Amino acid sequence: MAVTLVNPEGLPKPDVYRQLSIAQGSRLVFLAGQVARDAEGNKVGEGDFAAQVEQAYLNVATALAEIGGSFDDVAKLTIYVVDWNEEKYPLLGEGVARAAAKLGVDPVKPITLLGVVALGEPDLMVEVEATAVLD
């Protein structure tokens, strides 16, 4: 694995993400934002925030698998959430946990979470963008 996750001394140690990642690999991968669509482009989890988070994470893993990587190679995530509010926080965790269980990975990565007004299509509630490092 080319990515080591760290919570350095002197910074808060959150349970749901790590403060930084140390990447040592030869291929830097930038994934386009992944949304709640299946392989055929069909909507997944319309109106269900947790289901959309789960599908977006699964799509990140699918993209990385295509090039010989896995979710473990993710160095950083940026998560865009439409109309972010406190009530969505447990649903975000639920969707991430379901994806992690299916993938058999630790989903805790350095993240930036941004509340946005809208995404590319009106039914989308979340988009997950990833940067990965592969050996």
Side-chain angles (χ1 to χ4, degrees):
M1 181 169 57
V3 178
T4 303
L5 303 173
V6 178
N7 268 332
E9 292 301 319
L11 291 178
K13 293 172 181 47
D15 293 331
V16 296
Y17 68 93
R18 297 295 175 262
Q19 295 288 3
L20 59 94
S21 62
I22 302 165
Q24 298 177 337
S26 58
R27 293 189 295 162
L28 189 58
V29 179
F30 299 93
L31 252 67
Q34 298 300 304
V35 297
R37 296 288 186 265
D38 66 16
E40 289 76 39
N42 298 313
K43 297 176 184 180
V44 175
E46 193 165 5
D48 182 341
F49 182 67
Q52 289 200 14
V53 170
E54 177 184 5
Q55 185 65 44
Y57 268 65
L58 293 174
N59 288 350
V60 167
T62 298
L64 290 171
E66 179 68 21
I67 59 169
S70 75
F71 202 88
D72 287 331
D73 297 310
V74 171
K76 172 135 184 351
L77 296 169
T78 302
I79 303 172
Y80 302 90
V81 178
V82 175
D83 298 325
W84 174 254
N85 60 53
E86 211 172 287
E87 291 84 39
K88 289 185 179 174
Y89 189 75
L91 298 171
L92 175 66
E94 179 185 328
V96 169
R98 291 192 326 220
K102 286 182 178 176
L103 297 169
V105 298
D106 180 354
V108 177
K109 305 289 180 180
I111 65 166
T112 299
L113 190 146
L114 299 167
V116 298
V117 174
L119 294 169
E121 297 178 46
D123 66 294
L124 296 174
M125 303 168 82
V126 64
E127 186 166 333
V128 179
E129 182 180 275
T131 302
V133 178
L134 283 72
D135 288 325

